[in-house]
């Protein structure tokens, strides 16, 4: 269990190197945050994602080449 409730606000970190994916995330930042109830979305290099993988709420999406992590705000 992630320990999150459906109404909780979260902080979202996406670790990705692919420039086109970074651009798409930036372009749709507001929509992504609204859908996930995220207070903010932070983009980091993919190498930073390895440190997130052990935590609750982190997911590697190898087909997209990124790692995303949600933490309660």
């Amino acid at each position: 269990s992630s320990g999150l409730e459906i109404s909780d606000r979260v902080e979202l970190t996406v670790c990705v190197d692919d420039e086109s994916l970074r651009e798409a995330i930036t372009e749709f930042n507001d929509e992504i945050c609204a859908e996930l109830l995220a207070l903010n979305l932070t983009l980091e290099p993919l190498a930073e994602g390895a440190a997130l993988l052990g935590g609750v709420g982190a997911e590697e999406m190898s087909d997209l080449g990124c790692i995303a992590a949600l933490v309660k705000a």
Side-chain angles (χ1 to χ4, degrees), residues 52-73:
L52 301 174
L53 280 176
V56 174
E59 182 73 29
E60 182 173 14
M61 293 166 277
S62 56
D63 56 329
L64 295 175
C66 68
I67 296 170
L70 293 172
V71 294
K72 189 173 180 177

Side-chain angles (χ1 to χ4, degrees), residues 18-38:
D18 182 88
E19 193 57 38
S20 62
L21 184 52
R22 290 179 75 86
E23 289 173 8
I25 292 168
T26 300
E27 181 178 343
F28 293 99
N29 179 63
D30 292 343
E31 291 87 347
I32 294 167
C33 287
E35 287 294 318
L36 296 175
L37 300 179

